[in-house]
Amino acid sequence: MSAPPLTRGLLGTGDPSLAAHVAAHGPLPHGGHPTSFVGDLTGRGGAGFPTARKLHAVAEAARAAGTPAVVVGNGGEGEPAAAKDATLLARSPHLVLDGLQLAARAVGADTVVLAAAHSQLGGLDRALAERGDRGRVRLVGLPDRFLAGEETALVAAVDGGPSLPRGKVPPVWQRGVRGRPTLVQNVETLARLALLARGDDAAGHTLVTRHTAGRVDVAEVPLGARLADVLPLAPGTQAVLVGGYHGSWLPPAVAADLTLERSALASVGASLGAGVLAALPADRCGVRETASVLAYLAAQSAGQCGPCLNGLPRIAAALELLARPGPRRPGLLADLERWAGLVVGRGACTHPDGSVRLVASALRVFTPELAEHAAGRCTAAPGAPAFLPVPGGAR
Ligand SMILES: Cc1cc2nc3c(=O)[nH]c(=O)nc-3n(C[C@H](O)[C@H](O)[C@H](O)COP(=O)(O)O)c2cc1C
Ligand code: SF4
């Protein structure tokens, strides 16, 4: 048997037209049920859930309920450090729309929704018009908020309500949009499904957003590649953020030897999450960066649950004190560690858990910098700009 062709890539030439799409990938094959080619594809929205299992669960739930399912493409990308989904939607909208068509076929859906930032809707509407699918796919604009892409918040927004998480029970695959079984799938996952339908080796690659000093870009990389081959680690790199603002800081020596593969990442307490890889340059302060991100994350919840109402603001305030060089109240660090432990597993969604995962990794990796701050010094270059993007400039 010949080896499958290498992926032709999700990011295309930059020409988002239907003509360029068909020239690169050919038409979407009519035959073949998606469950026959989905293989070991995993979701690219953060949790890495096996797509085949989700397709099966939604199809079964719809059959059991005697109602057609709903499919929602999740293109909101609330993570401020990530740009992979926005780049994909802008460059290759037809791959995502092909994937939606396949997903709808797989689960027996009669309603198909694509949710994305308001700024993306014009381009997506043009793509729908080109393929004669206006009216068959509903476009929904999402607010520019960290939690907007969490699947229960997404379903609430599609139903016309405020985009707030509502808790995991019942799960959206059982009761989602208008109470119907709903498949929520990240737009990169959908685009990969569209490549798999064409016999492309799409499950073995992933999109990442890379941050290095003065440069942010999106690249498609093989899963299993060495992190150091994918993300340039300049001399003096202090730490690598893997996954995004619900991810983990890793020491450069650990990061350099790591492969971008689920179990290898899990063995050091990391995951690919929203596909963010960021190499903190020598002249910035990791404690300051983390404090700014935490201030942002704490402000993003609607304060519906205790951990977000009381825990995250308190944790963010403590981290802000630790980010300022100078004497600190004895026990502040121990209090911060204790508060971080208290919020885990207590929210209706995993926002508190993800936020304190980042804090815990920062306290481990930036221990020397914390000691410098306690002694009244910071090793960052004076006036160095922020490294990680924080909307609203919470700094
Ligand atoms: C706080 C939070 C924010 C999330 N934001 C996004 C997002 O912006 N985009 C996305 O695709 N998934 C996001 N997710 C994951 C979704 O809830 C859901 O698991 C995902 O869209 C499923 O698609 P997949 O199986 O293709 O990954 C988020 C999850 C959490 C807990
Ligand atoms: S845990 Fe926080 S972010 Fe999640 S639903 Fe509750 S208040 Fe909102």
Side-chain angles (χ1 to χ4, degrees), residues 165-314:
R166 63 136 160 87
K168 290 279 177 208
V169 183
V172 299
W173 59 266
Q174 276 179 336
R175 283 179 66 82
V177 173
R178 294 198 301 275
R180 288 164 43 183
T182 299
L183 178 76
V184 175
Q185 209 81 74
N186 171 260
V187 287
E188 182 189 341
T189 317
L190 292 167
R192 294 204 174 279
L193 195 60
L195 289 186
L196 287 166
R198 293 166 162 103
D200 206 314
D201 175 26
H205 289 68
T206 201
L207 293 178
V208 289
T209 310
R210 303 183 291 198
H211 296 247
T212 49
R215 185 180 164 88
V216 181
D217 69 359
V218 173
E220 186 160 18
V221 303
L223 284 169
R226 278 182 75 237
L227 187 146
D229 291 336
V230 164
L231 180 74
L233 299 179
T237 296
Q238 299 185 63
V240 176
L241 177 65
V242 178
Y245 293 174
H246 277 181
S248 303
W249 289 107
L250 298 176
V254 172
D257 278 340
L258 207 55
T259 50
L260 291 179
E261 183 268 317
R262 178 171 265 274
S263 60
L265 290 166
S267 72
V268 294
S271 79
L272 254 184
V276 172
L277 299 174
L280 183 68
D283 62 349
R284 316 298 162 91
C285 173
V287 184
R288 160 51 52 212
E289 295 292 331
T290 310
S292 300
V293 170
L294 247 291
Y296 163 75
L297 292 176
Q300 285 300 297
S301 94
Q304 304 180 106
C305 315
C308 285
L309 194 60
N310 306 311
L312 290 188
R314 201 186 272 194

Side-chain angles (χ1 to χ4, degrees), residues 18-239:
L18 183 59
H21 167 71
V22 174
H25 303 289
L28 186 62
H30 285 297
H33 196 271
T35 50
S36 67
F37 53 74
V38 61
D40 57 1
L41 179 66
T42 50
R44 300 302 204 266
F49 196 81
T51 307
R53 273 169 55 193
K54 250 163 83 161
L55 295 178
H56 180 74
V58 175
E60 279 303 307
R63 246 191 302 276
T67 170
V70 177
V71 170
V72 183
N74 191 350
E77 198 168 53
E79 164 74 53
K84 72 172 184 80
D85 293 342
T87 304
L88 171 66
L89 286 170
R91 293 179 69 105
S92 306
H94 290 287
L95 274 182
V96 176
L97 294 171
D98 283 354
L100 273 172
Q101 200 173 317
L102 290 165
R105 195 196 295 169
V107 300
D110 70 345
T111 305
V112 181
V113 179
L114 179 52
H118 287 280
S119 57
Q120 301 268 1
L121 298 186
L124 294 174
D125 186 54
R126 274 192 296 282
L128 285 172
E130 271 185 302
R131 53 201 282 144
D133 274 351
R134 256 191 188 143
R136 272 199 280 270
V137 177
R138 189 180 141 213
L139 296 177
V140 171
L142 294 176
D144 187 11
R145 290 193 53 225
F146 190 82
L147 292 159
E150 193 277 337
E151 61 188 9
T152 63
L154 184 71
V155 163
V158 172
D159 273 341
S163 112
L164 294 172
R166 63 136 160 87
K168 290 279 177 208
V169 183
V172 299
W173 59 266
Q174 276 179 336
R175 283 179 66 82
V177 173
R178 294 198 301 275
R180 288 164 43 183
T182 299
L183 178 76
V184 175
Q185 209 81 74
N186 171 260
V187 287
E188 182 189 341
T189 317
L190 292 167
R192 294 204 174 279
L193 195 60
L195 289 186
L196 287 166
R198 293 166 162 103
D200 206 314
D201 175 26
H205 289 68
T206 201
L207 293 178
V208 289
T209 310
R210 303 183 291 198
H211 296 247
T212 49
R215 185 180 164 88
V216 181
D217 69 359
V218 173
E220 186 160 18
V221 303
L223 284 169
R226 278 182 75 237
L227 187 146
D229 291 336
V230 164
L231 180 74
L233 299 179
T237 296
Q238 299 185 63

